[in-house]
Amino acid sequence: MAGLVWVDSDVIQECESEYQHALSSETPDQKLLENVKFQLAWALAHSRNKRDVKRAITLLQGEELEPYASPNRQRDHYFTLAVAYLRDGDNIKAKDMVDKALEVSPKCSQCQSLRTEIVEATAKDALIGVGLLAAGVGIVGSLLLAGSKRR
């Protein structure tokens, strides 16, 4: 995840404060509330803390994009959700979300870079899995061979 930025807890606290302030308003401005909620989700998705990342997923999954949402808004939503899924270790959902972002904005270089990163992470995870499987098969084979020599 070399190309992605990280956010520290101070930024998250500031976004959380703005979000809580917008929520507690007597007559909340829906557009403002939507914007500060997205800013909070973005900050959480870019956190090193796993709980923050999971909270970003919850905030973004629960948010239904309005049919009239601008293409940029849709792209940003899907991209941020892809970042959160990637940081949570769910490469399949991350790829699905970045693909949705690319459907909306095919020339988005940030989305293209993230997709490459997701594909590389998935390949790396697959290689590790194959290595572990091969090691397991080797151990089982060794045990069976040792057991057959004792008989």
Side-chain angles (χ1 to χ4, degrees):
M1 290 180 257
L4 297 174
V5 299
W6 296 100
V7 170
D8 63 23
S9 60
D10 292 342
V11 173
I12 293 170
Q13 286 176 335
E14 185 178 322
C15 291
E16 181 73 50
S17 175
E18 289 177 21
Y19 180 60
Q20 292 303 324
H21 180 72
L23 277 176
S24 65
S25 174
E26 288 182 23
T27 55
D29 176 351
Q30 284 308 115
K31 194 72 166 164
L32 173 67
L33 186 56
E34 184 180 306
N35 286 336
V36 294
K37 180 180 177 183
F38 179 78
Q39 288 172 352
L40 174 60
W42 183 92
L44 291 167
H46 289 83
S47 171
R48 292 183 190 273
N49 183 312
K50 212 53 154 161
R51 280 193 323 255
D52 290 343
V53 171
K54 288 189 180 298
R55 184 161 174 234
I57 292 169
T58 300
L59 283 171
L60 292 169
Q61 278 180 332
E63 181 179 317
E64 288 295 318
L65 284 175
E66 297 296 332
Y68 57 83
S70 74
N72 286 346
R73 176 79 171 100
Q74 291 175 34
R75 180 201 60 218
D76 292 349
H77 176 89
Y78 294 132
F79 178 85
T80 304
L81 198 45
V83 168
Y85 279 131
L86 178 62
R87 291 199 167 154
D88 194 41
D90 193 337
N91 296 349
I92 293 170
K93 286 183 181 176
K95 185 177 173 295
D96 289 345
M97 290 299 111
V98 81
D99 284 346
K100 282 186 176 187
L102 283 165
E103 282 176 24
V104 175
S105 188
K107 294 182 182 181
C108 175
S109 61
Q110 213 177 7
C111 293
Q112 292 167 352
S113 295
L114 181 60
R115 189 175 194 288
T116 299
E117 196 168 329
I118 292 166
V119 169
E120 288 172 358
T122 303
K124 180 182 170 189
D125 289 351
L127 283 175
I128 290 170
V130 168
L132 290 173
L133 179 62
V137 167
I139 291 170
V140 169
S142 297
L143 291 174
L144 290 175
L145 183 62
S148 70
K149 286 185 178 181
R150 287 187 190 165
R151 292 181 195 166

